[in-house]
């Protein structure tokens, strides 16, 4: 009787352990808020302009991004709208690139407002509204909640901070942050792209361009700033900057 009891315990134990080991690990998935479609339609013009099939694809890409990357508030409450907008900012630039993953991003920190180079949220010199980290902040993006929302709420502007930061990540993913996205732009166009950058930066400095002056800071900022304009005001951008438009099409659009 005692032996039977022992065998019973041992067999039970084996079954319990077996169940634990064999159970497929559930991937942590992001739970969409119920009204995510309304949020996307109301705030994200890029999404609103897509057909049914495109919208479904956009949602799937957003979901897989938000399942892979942690979003944390730093003295800011991260609301559903913020999550959806960060997901949208990640998807927009690479929407047409199959299987794109931001392997250089682990976490997005949401600050309430602007911050400075030391990540201070208070005091003077808080001019930065978004950045991608280096050094110990590698694989982390910081974004100001205020600017994140402004980028989508203000439909007349050609600026969008979160898209700007994701463009930096795309630029960085080939190993060098230099304004040339080698993973997306064919080698044969690189020289032409660099020339166009220099030429247009000079135009901006002379005040002969409607591209934001921040774009004249460096080729890196130029690429991010014109990309914002390309995605935020596509028609105006095409009309005012046909050559740049053609180049950004080569970078971002796959047919
Ligand atoms: Zn920048």
């Amino acid at each position: 009787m005692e032996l039977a009891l022992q065998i019973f315990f041992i067999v039970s134990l084996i079954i319990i352990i077996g169940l634990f080991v064999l159970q497929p690990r559930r991937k942590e998935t992001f739970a969409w808020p119920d009204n995510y479609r309304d949020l996307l339609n109301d705030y994200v013009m890029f999404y609103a302009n897509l057909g049914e099939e495109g919208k479904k694809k956009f949602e799937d890409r957003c979901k897989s991004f938000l399942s892979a990357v942690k979003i944390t508030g730093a003295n800011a409450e991260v609301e559903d709208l913020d999550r959806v907008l960060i997901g949208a900012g990640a998807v927009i630039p690479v929407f047409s690139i199959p299987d794109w993953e931001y392997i250089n991003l682990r976490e997005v920190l949401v600050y309430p407002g602007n911050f400075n180079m030391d990540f201070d949220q208070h005091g003077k010199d808080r001019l930065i509204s978004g950045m991608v980290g280096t050094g110990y902040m590698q694989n982390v993006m910081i974004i100001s909640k205020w600017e994140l929302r402004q980028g989508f709420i203000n439909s007349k502007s050609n600026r969008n901070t979160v898209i700007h930061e994701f463009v930096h990540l795309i630029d960085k993913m080939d190993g060098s942050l230099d304004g040339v996205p080698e993973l997306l732009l064919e080698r044969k166009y690189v020289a032409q792209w660099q020339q166009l950058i220099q030429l247009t930066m000079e135009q901006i400095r002379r005040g002969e361009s409607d591209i934001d002056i921040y774009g004249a800071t460096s080729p890196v900022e130029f690429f991010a700033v014109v990309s914002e304009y390309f995605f935020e005001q596509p028609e105006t951008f095409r009309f005012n900057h046909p050559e740049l438009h053609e180049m950004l099409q080569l970078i971002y659009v796959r047919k």
Side-chain angles (χ1 to χ4, degrees):
M1 186 62 192
E2 217 172 284
L3 184 70
L5 205 63
Q6 275 179 356
I7 291 171
F8 172 75
F9 271 120
I10 290 167
V11 169
S12 310
L13 203 66
I14 289 170
I15 290 170
I16 289 167
I17 291 171
L19 282 176
F20 258 102
V21 174
L22 294 177
Q23 193 179 33
R25 276 173 186 243
R26 263 181 243 122
K27 203 182 160 204
E28 207 182 307
T29 48
F30 165 73
W32 273 112
D34 293 338
N35 61 341
Y36 73 91
R37 280 219 168 100
D38 295 337
L39 294 178
L40 284 169
N41 271 319
D42 288 351
Y43 289 91
V44 183
M45 209 180 26
F46 185 97
Y47 171 89
N49 288 336
L50 293 170
E52 257 325 294
E53 206 181 309
K55 284 185 175 178
K56 177 80 182 57
K57 180 179 152 195
F58 193 97
E59 292 159 16
D60 289 345
R61 299 280 297 267
C62 252
K63 277 182 209 172
S64 75
F65 172 83
L66 291 167
S67 307
V69 173
K70 200 172 153 194
I71 298 177
T72 312
N75 295 326
E77 189 197 341
V78 180
E79 294 166 63
D80 288 339
L81 176 61
D82 304 310
R83 280 190 204 91
V84 166
L85 295 183
I86 291 170
V91 171
I92 288 170
V94 291
F95 181 65
S96 118
I97 317 293
D99 304 323
W100 181 276
E101 261 183 79
Y102 290 97
I103 51 168
N104 52 355
L105 185 66
R106 189 184 67 234
E107 186 171 18
V108 178
L109 293 179
V110 181
Y111 281 26
N114 285 4
F115 47 91
N116 66 18
M117 286 306 275
D118 301 319
F119 311 114
D120 284 339
Q121 298 181 10
H122 303 284
K124 283 187 230 162
D125 309 326
R126 292 178 302 119
L127 298 170
I128 308 171
S129 54
M131 74 182 300
V132 290
T134 50
Y136 76 98
M137 292 291 279
Q138 193 76 25
N139 300 332
V140 176
M141 176 188 288
I142 305 180
I143 188 89
S144 131
K145 177 170 168 170
W146 168 258
E147 286 297 335
L148 167 69
R149 292 186 171 200
Q150 281 305 307
F152 290 96
I153 290 168
N154 189 349
S155 60
K156 288 200 176 69
S157 154
N158 56 28
R159 299 301 312 266
N160 182 310
T161 300
V162 76
I163 291 179
H164 180 108
E165 298 310 325
F166 278 104
V167 170
H168 282 330
L169 284 184
I170 292 166
D171 184 358
K172 209 177 168 202
M173 221 147 112
D174 54 43
S176 58
L177 188 60
D178 56 2
V180 182
E182 274 97 345
L183 295 178
L184 298 185
L185 184 64
E186 279 185 68
R187 225 185 166 80
K188 61 180 175 189
Y189 298 115
V190 169
Q192 197 186 334
W193 170 236
Q194 284 171 322
Q195 267 173 5
L196 197 54
I197 292 178
Q198 292 308 329
L199 209 80
T200 319
M201 280 173 69
E202 280 161 31
Q203 285 172 354
I204 300 173
R205 287 194 193 111
R206 289 198 300 266
E208 294 166 4
S209 176
D210 67 337
I211 295 169
D212 194 290
I213 184 76
Y214 193 60
T217 315
S218 67
V220 171
E221 296 308 332
F222 179 86
F223 176 44
V225 168
V226 292
S227 297
E228 292 175 66
Y229 192 167
F230 175 79
F231 290 113
E232 285 290 292
Q233 303 290 343
E235 292 309 315
T236 318
F237 186 72
R238 199 216 312 248
F239 185 77
N240 289 346
H241 308 280
E243 251 188 296
L244 273 172
H245 184 268
E246 210 173 303
M247 204 50 107
L248 291 186
Q249 286 260 353
L250 288 172
I251 292 173
Y252 292 118
V253 183
R254 302 287 176 274
K255 297 216 166 84

